[in-house]
Amino acid sequence: MLKKIFTPVSLIVLMAGLTGLGMVLYAWRLPPFSSSVEMTDNAYVRGYVTMLSPQVSGYIVDVPVKDYQDVKQGDILARVDDRSYVQKLSQAKATLDGQKASLANSDQKENAARANISSSEASIESAQAALKQAQLASDRQDNLTKSGVGTSSTQEEAHATLEKAKAALLQAKAALEVSNQDLQTIIVNRGSLEAAVASAEASVQLAEIDLGNTVIRAPRDGKVGEVGARLGQYVTAGTQLMAVVPTDVWVIANFKETQLAGMQVGQPVSISVDAMQRREIRGHVERFSPAAGSEFSVIKPDNATGNFVKIAQRIGVRVAIDPGQDMTSELSPGMSVVVRVDKSKAPEAVHSVSN
C-alpha cells in the first residue's frame, strides 16, 4: 500500500511543494528562516550634486576645466565677457562721486547759512542800539519842545529817525528768520542727498557683484561633471553650465515598512557595492525619513477606491558611511548598493553626523 502512495511521481510533487513552501517562507522571512538582519537592494549612493549656473548674461569667453576634472574650492570654472559690467561699475562710481559732491556742497551751504544767521543776529543788535539811540533823541526833543527850547522840525526829524530805527530792527529780525529758514531747508534737503549717496553706493556694490559674477568658481572641493559651457556661447541667468560633485557621500536605503520594527539610529550597517565587485563597506543608520516615499511624489496615490490591494510602502533610511575606509573614495552618487542592517546589534554612539 505504501509503495502505491509513495510513487516516484508523488515524491517529486511532494518535494516540489516543500521546496516552494520553503522559498515562500524564506522570501517572507518567516520561521524557520526569520532573521534579525534586514536587507534591501533598493538603495543608492547619494551626494551633493551642485548644478552651476551664471547669475549674469553674456558670452562665455573662457572654460579652463575639462570633464570629470578635480577642482578645489574657488577654482575658476568659466568666465563670462565682463566688458559691459566693467563699464557699468565705472558709471555707478561716477554717479556716486556726483552725489558725494552734492552732499559736500550742501555742507558748504549749511556753513554759509549759519554765517548769515550770525550776521543777521549782529544786525539785530546794531538795530537795537540804533533804536535805543533814536528813542533817547526823540524823548530829548519832546522835552525841549515842551520847554519851548526845541523846534517842531527838529522834533519831527527825531520822530522819523525813531520810526526808521524801529523798521530797521523789524527788518533785521525778518532777515534772521529768513536765514533760519534757509538753514532748515538745507538740513531737510540733506536727508535726500544722503539717501541719494546711499543709493549710489548700493548701485556701486550691485555693479561690483555683477562684475564678480562674471567669474564662475567652484563652490567647494570635488569633481566637475560633464562641462556644458562652450566658448562663444551666450548664456543667461539660470543656464546650466556644469555640475560639481563633492566627495561627501551617503546611502539612502528604501526599506519596506514591515522591515523597520526594531531598527534604530546608530545600528551598524553593511553596504555591498555593485560597482566594486560587491565588496562591503561599513556604515551606521543615521536617521529615518519623516514619511513614506509615496508622500513626496508629485501625484500622490488615492487609496479611497473600490478596488484596493495593500502594498507595503517604502521608508527612506539614511545611512552614514563610517570614516577611515579606503573604498569610500571610489563611491559616486547614483551607484547601486545592497544594504543590510542587523537589528540585533545595539546602536553605536554616533560622534559625527553628516549634513
Side-chain angles (χ1 to χ4, degrees):
M1 184 68 179
L2 293 175
K3 291 182 178 180
K4 292 182 180 180
I5 295 175
F6 293 102
T7 62
V9 175
S10 62
L11 290 175
I12 293 174
V13 172
L14 180 60
M15 292 298 296
L18 292 176
T19 302
L21 178 61
M23 293 177 65
V24 171
L25 294 176
Y26 177 78
W28 288 90
R29 295 293 191 270
L30 297 175
F33 300 104
S34 58
S35 172
S36 63
V37 177
E38 296 293 348
M39 183 271 291
T40 181
D41 58 0
N42 189 348
Y44 304 91
V45 179
R46 293 287 183 259
Y48 298 105
V49 180
T50 304
M51 297 301 301
L52 298 181
S53 302
Q55 293 182 269
V56 295
S57 301
Y59 290 96
I60 298 292
V61 295
D62 186 23
V63 184
V65 295
K66 305 297 181 183
D67 296 344
Y68 315 138
Q69 177 179 330
D70 290 329
V71 294
K72 297 293 185 181
Q73 182 178 1
D75 286 353
I76 297 176
L77 306 181
R79 293 179 185 271
V80 178
D81 187 5
D82 63 355
R83 290 176 298 176
S84 60
Y85 297 100
V86 170
Q87 295 304 316
K88 288 180 180 179
L89 178 58
S90 299
Q91 184 180 25
K93 288 182 177 180
T95 302
L96 175 60
D97 291 340
Q99 296 297 338
K100 286 183 176 180
S102 298
L103 182 60
N105 187 39
S106 176
D107 293 336
Q108 184 62 32
K109 287 182 178 180
E110 180 181 355
N111 294 333
R114 294 189 183 279
N116 288 334
I117 290 175
S118 299
S119 177
S120 297
E121 290 174 347
S123 297
I124 289 175
E125 293 178 357
S126 177
Q128 288 175 341
L131 176 60
K132 183 177 181 180
Q133 183 180 5
Q135 184 67 52
L136 293 174
S138 176
D139 292 342
R140 186 166 50 252
Q141 289 299 325
D142 289 341
N143 293 331
L144 291 175
T145 301
K146 288 178 181 179
S147 61
V149 178
T151 62
S152 299
S153 58
T154 304
Q155 184 182 18
E156 292 173 356
E157 184 178 352
H159 286 172
T161 303
L162 177 61
E163 294 299 326
K164 290 180 180 180
K166 290 179 179 180
L169 178 59
L170 293 175
Q171 184 178 10
K173 290 181 178 181
L176 176 61
E177 182 64 23
V178 170
S179 298
N180 286 326
Q181 293 301 322
D182 289 342
L183 178 61
Q184 291 302 316
T185 300
I186 293 171
I187 293 174
V188 170
N189 289 336
R190 176 75 53 73
S192 62
L193 293 175
E194 290 175 347
V197 170
S199 176
E201 289 176 344
S203 297
V204 170
Q205 293 176 359
L206 288 174
E208 290 175 344
I209 291 173
D210 286 341
L211 180 59
N213 286 335
T214 60
V215 179
I216 301 168
R217 300 179 182 274
R220 56 188 304 179
D221 296 351
K223 283 189 176 182
V224 176
E226 292 187 5
V227 179
R230 298 292 182 266
L231 289 178
Q233 177 185 1
Y234 184 80
V235 297
T236 59
T239 302
Q240 291 187 357
L241 302 181
M242 65 191 74
V244 173
V245 183
T247 56
D248 299 336
V249 291
W250 61 92
V251 171
I252 296 297
N254 299 301
F255 284 96
K256 293 180 181 179
E257 54 187 327
T258 55
Q259 296 178 284
L260 296 180
M263 196 175 296
Q264 303 177 52
V265 173
Q267 285 179 331
V269 177
S270 174
I271 305 167
S272 175
V273 185
D274 295 353
M276 300 178 184
Q277 299 179 347
R278 301 190 180 279
R279 289 184 294 176
E280 293 188 353
I281 59 177
R282 302 182 308 278
H284 61 269
V285 176
E286 187 174 18
R287 46 182 176 260
F288 297 89
S289 172
S294 58
E295 294 299 312
F296 298 109
S297 62
V298 177
I299 302 177
K300 294 181 175 58
D302 185 5
N303 295 326
T305 58
N307 298 322
F308 171 71
V309 177
K310 185 175 181 180
I311 301 174
Q313 299 297 308
R314 297 274 180 172
I315 305 294
V317 177
R318 177 162 169 153
V319 177
I321 298 172
D322 295 340
Q325 303 179 80
D326 296 336
M327 290 185 296
T328 57
S329 61
E330 302 177 23
L331 295 176
S332 298
M335 284 184 174
S336 299
V337 297
V338 177
V339 172
R340 294 178 176 84
V341 180
D342 190 350
K343 297 188 294 185
S344 65
K345 297 291 184 65
E348 299 176 354
V350 180
H351 301 289
S352 62
V353 178
S354 58
N355 294 326

